């Protein structure tokens, strides 16, 4: 009996250590407004609201004492990870204190932030003027790049017809 309890406890501790996503990212703030609602409301309507948004980095700009990241919003899974979809509720600006290397926080990487809406900023997006909600970031998580494989079946796929599978079926 002691052996089973010890094994179960060890297993729980090991599995608990596998989660590297911060708790603040995994849990969305209560009553957090979605981006599309904030974008359609007057700029002052959601000042101070706590949000958990995420998406794909479009641009990273380092300023004197902070980094401003433009993010193309994506819907999130329950744990806060941005989905890899071709739809978006719009864009927003995440302001993070300190220096973040643009080579790491690069275009195309997925980022989830938790923070407070501090206003809107008008910027050019192509030929149009776009109103970006601005979020002062309290916590953020840069998701690892997805693993790309050449073999669509995975590295452990076994094909019993291997010698003949490259020939056309006719």
């Amino acid at each position: 009996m002691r052996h089973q309890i010890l094994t179960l406890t060890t297993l729980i501790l090991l599995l608990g250590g596998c989660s590297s996503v911060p708790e603040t990212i995994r849990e969305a703030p209560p009553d957090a407004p979605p981006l599309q609602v904030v974008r359609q409301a007057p700029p002052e309507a959601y000042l101070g609201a706590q949000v958990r948004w995420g998406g794909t980095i479009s641009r990273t700009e380092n300023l004197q004492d902070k980094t401003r990241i433009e993010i193309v919003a994506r819907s999130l899974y329950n744990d806060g990870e941005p989905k890899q979809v071709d739809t978006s509720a719009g864009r927003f600006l995440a302001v993070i204190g300190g220096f973040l290397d643009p080579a790491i926080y690069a275009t195309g990487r997925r980022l989830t932030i938790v923070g407070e809406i501090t206003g809107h900023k008008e910027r050019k997006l192509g030929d149009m003027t776009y109103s970006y909600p601005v979020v002062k970031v309290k916590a953020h998580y840069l998701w690892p790049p997805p693993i790309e494989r050449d073999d669509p079946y995975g590295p452990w796929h076994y094909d019993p017809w291997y010698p003949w599978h490259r020939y056309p079926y006719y």
Side-chain angles (χ1 to χ4, degrees), residues 25 52-54 76 80-82 110-114 139-141 143:
I25 297 296
R52 179 184 71 168
W53 293 341
L76 304 178
E81 181 179 4
R110 295 173 304 140
L111 180 70
T112 302
I113 59 97
V114 173
H140 68 280
Y141 185 74
W143 296 89

Side-chain angles (χ1 to χ4, degrees), residues 2-19:
R2 282 185 151 181
H3 179 67
Q4 291 173 340
I5 293 173
L6 182 61
T7 303
L8 182 61
T9 304
T10 304
L11 182 63
I12 290 171
L13 290 174
L14 287 175
L15 290 177
C18 292
S19 177

